[in-house]
Amino acid sequence: MYSSKSHRPTWAEINIDVIRSNVKKIKEKCDPDIQIIGIVKADAYGHGAVQISQELTRLGITYLGVATLDEGIELRTNGITIPIIVFGPVEPNEFSKLMEFNIYPVVSNYNYAKELAENYRYRGLFPKVHIEIDTGMGRLGVPFDNALLEIEQISNINGMIIDGIFTHFPSADSDIEFSKFQLDSFIHIIEETKRLDIKIKNFHIANSAGIFNIEGVATAPFNMVRPGLAIYGYSTTKNSELTNSMQLKTKIIEIRKMKKDETVSYLRTYKIQKDKEYIAVLPVGYADGIPTTYSNKGYVTIKNKAYPVVGRVCMDYTMVSLGESPEDIKIGEEVIIFGNEFMSVEKFAKICSLIPYEVTCNVSKRVPRVYIRKEDRG
Ligand SMILES: *Cc1c(COP(=O)(O)O)cnc(C)c1O
């Protein structure tokens, strides 16, 4: 099942049907006229930006969001044609790339917006921008107090098209009160822009956690949402309705029968206690995305049963204990590291003191992504 791009039996299986059902659940949380900006930054959180973007386009998602200009260019050069917003800053000497690849930038100050518009005008083009407002993220965006004035000034720049304005939640999963304060603040700004008759097409605030936890983010005056994590089926809260779309898989390459007092792996942190114990070697390690903090703490799934990781996770290998008498487990047996009911990405993250975002982003380049969908399975 692993890809022809790799000659090692370790791969990340990405279930497109699951992504489809997650998108459906996101849509159920939104008013029917809400558009989705599918966030596919960081190679779609490790799931493969081009393949995921193609699928999202098929599912009727109308916009994509990336963090860097390079990520946007990658999508364009691979045939993605729907609008793309680059949420990270783009330096003025790269404005020509925005035009060349028709990518929408985010602006948050007048001088920058003016320079952008002048560059576009020089080529006979009109920039479409999204203006970010900082209502409490404390990162990028127009500071809240100046927001209305700045939006108005930007809107008056010759040729400027404000495709949208937005703000971002820092803690929509954990601080509902603060999120509601941000929501109210931003709605106030939206109302003011309408009162001043500033032409703005789209309004958005909600990330994944916002969509699932904060009321009023996927209804008027908003007409867009920006989920990332939820598309891929992970959550930062309990009782998620979503399903993990990625399973990190490998196959047993060696089974050793070890004796009492022998030790496993670097630093000899695991010592055989019984007279004999069977240890399976997996060709997957921290260079693939299993942190060393998983050593002697985590579990893998073999034939629907959980087996403990023993000894230190190496760069290229991880060892697991099959116990005193491995029941019909042979070399070549498939192993699931995470992404199933025994070891969700969320649980894996918790064991490693990571957040779910990091777990899939950490699955490295040498692990081929294999896409499965119902049609393939017949
Ligand atoms: C990453 C990001 C998102 C998506 O966040 P999730 O928590 O993955 O849903 C939305 N908006 C902005 C501006 C982002 O940077």
Side-chain angles (χ1 to χ4, degrees):
M1 191 16 128
Y2 50 98
S3 148
S4 56
K5 281 178 290 181
S6 167
H7 300 91
R8 177 182 67 145
T10 293
W11 69 104
E13 204 166 277
I14 290 146
N15 189 323
I16 295 293
D17 298 329
V18 165
I19 295 213
R20 207 174 295 163
S21 88
N22 291 333
V23 168
K24 199 163 157 236
K25 286 189 179 128
I26 292 168
K27 284 185 177 165
E28 283 165 10
K29 292 277 167 196
C30 301
D31 278 4
D33 58 339
I34 296 279
Q35 292 187 66
I36 295 176
I37 304 173
I39 303 294
V40 294
K41 63 195 178 196
D43 204 23
Y45 298 36
H47 296 68
V50 172
Q51 284 86 349
I52 297 295
S53 297
Q54 285 166 345
E55 192 56 38
L56 295 181
T57 308
R58 259 177 241 132
L59 295 176
I61 281 182
T62 49
Y63 272 67
L64 295 167
V66 294
T68 69
L69 184 53
D70 292 320
E71 291 174 345
I73 292 171
E74 186 196 8
L75 297 181
R76 282 284 181 258
T77 52
N78 282 282
I80 302 293
T81 56
I82 63 174
I84 297 172
I85 303 169
V86 57
F87 283 96
V90 175
E91 291 182 52
N93 62 342
E94 304 290 356
F95 286 163
S96 63
K97 294 287 174 207
L98 288 173
M99 291 180 251
E100 183 183 344
F101 293 100
N102 188 23
I103 292 169
Y104 302 172
V106 166
V107 303
S108 51
N109 80 63
Y110 171 78
N111 288 331
Y112 179 91
K114 190 157 169 284
E115 190 177 350
L116 181 85
E118 279 163 5
N119 273 263
Y120 275 65
R121 211 179 307 132
Y122 188 72
R123 299 239 199 134
L125 298 170
F126 302 99
K128 288 187 178 169
V129 304
H130 284 239
I131 303 176
E132 177 167 11
I133 316 299
D134 186 2
T135 58
M137 177 66 191
R139 189 174 65 178
L140 300 169
V142 190
F144 180 74
D145 293 343
N146 314 338
L148 192 62
L149 183 64
E150 201 94 13
I151 295 168
E152 192 182 14
Q153 287 174 338
I154 293 171
S155 75
N156 286 329
I157 295 171
N158 187 6
M160 178 61 72
I161 299 169
I162 304 179
D163 192 58
I165 63 172
F166 72 99
T167 191
H168 195 46
F169 289 128
S171 47
D173 49 0
S174 53
D175 194 337
I176 308 298
E177 201 182 325
F178 186 72
S179 304
K180 283 194 174 140
F181 161 78
Q182 288 184 277
L183 179 66
D184 291 342
S185 309
F186 192 51
I187 288 176
H188 174 73
I189 289 186
I190 294 172
E191 283 167 354
E192 290 295 294
T193 62
K194 289 185 175 168
R195 192 175 58 79
L196 294 174
D197 221 8
I198 301 173
K199 251 180 91 185
I200 302 170
K201 261 176 91 174
N202 300 297
F203 304 92
H204 45 109
I205 185 167
N207 55 359
S208 298
I211 294 167
F212 285 90
N213 300 308
I214 312 295
E215 272 185 46
V217 299
T219 186
F222 301 102
N223 69 326
M224 287 182 146
V225 292
R226 301 190 307 273
L229 197 69
I231 290 174
Y232 312 107
Y234 318 107
S235 172
T236 49
T237 56
K238 287 200 194 95
N239 307 323
S240 167
E241 313 157 41
L242 305 163
T243 308
N244 291 181
S245 64
M246 181 194 285
Q247 292 191 340
L248 181 61
K249 292 187 169 184
T250 189
K251 288 183 176 180
I252 297 174
I253 52 160
E254 172 80 309
I255 297 174
R256 331 201 47 140
K257 182 181 176 183
M258 295 185 72
K259 295 194 295 281
K260 192 170 165 56
D261 292 338
E262 288 183 326
T263 59
V264 176
S265 193
Y266 289 115
L267 306 178
R268 307 180 66 214
T269 59
Y270 186 78
K271 195 173 189 176
I272 307 294
Q273 304 290 339
K274 308 246 169 75
D275 284 343
K276 62 167 184 183
E277 184 171 352
Y278 287 86
I279 304 294
V281 181
L282 312 179
V284 57
Y286 63 78
D288 301 296
I290 306 180
T292 55
T293 46
Y294 208 55
S295 309
N296 292 309
K297 281 203 226 151
Y299 290 85
V300 304
T301 310
I302 307 168
K303 285 188 157 178
N304 268 316
K305 254 186 84 178
Y307 292 89
V309 170
V310 295
R312 199 174 162 88
V313 173
C314 309
M315 186 183 286
D316 313 306
Y317 303 101
T318 296
M319 274 60 81
V320 299
S321 172
L322 303 179
E324 286 178 89
S325 53
E327 308 146 30
D328 67 336
I329 293 176
K330 296 197 175 61
I331 290 176
E333 195 70 65
E334 188 170 295
V335 180
I336 303 173
I337 308 295
F338 61 64
N340 66 355
E341 64 277 21
F342 289 110
M343 185 55 68
S344 64
V345 165
E346 290 87 341
K347 188 172 165 192
F348 183 93
K350 199 162 181 208
I351 294 172
C352 302
S353 304
L354 297 173
I355 55 174
Y357 299 79
E358 291 171 282
V359 172
T360 60
C361 284
N362 284 350
V363 174
S364 69
K365 205 171 69 173
R366 77 175 183 187
V367 178
R369 272 60 173 173
V370 176
Y371 298 88
I372 59 165
R373 39 167 37 103
K374 227 184 261 120
E375 303 93 81
D376 298 341
R377 280 173 276 147

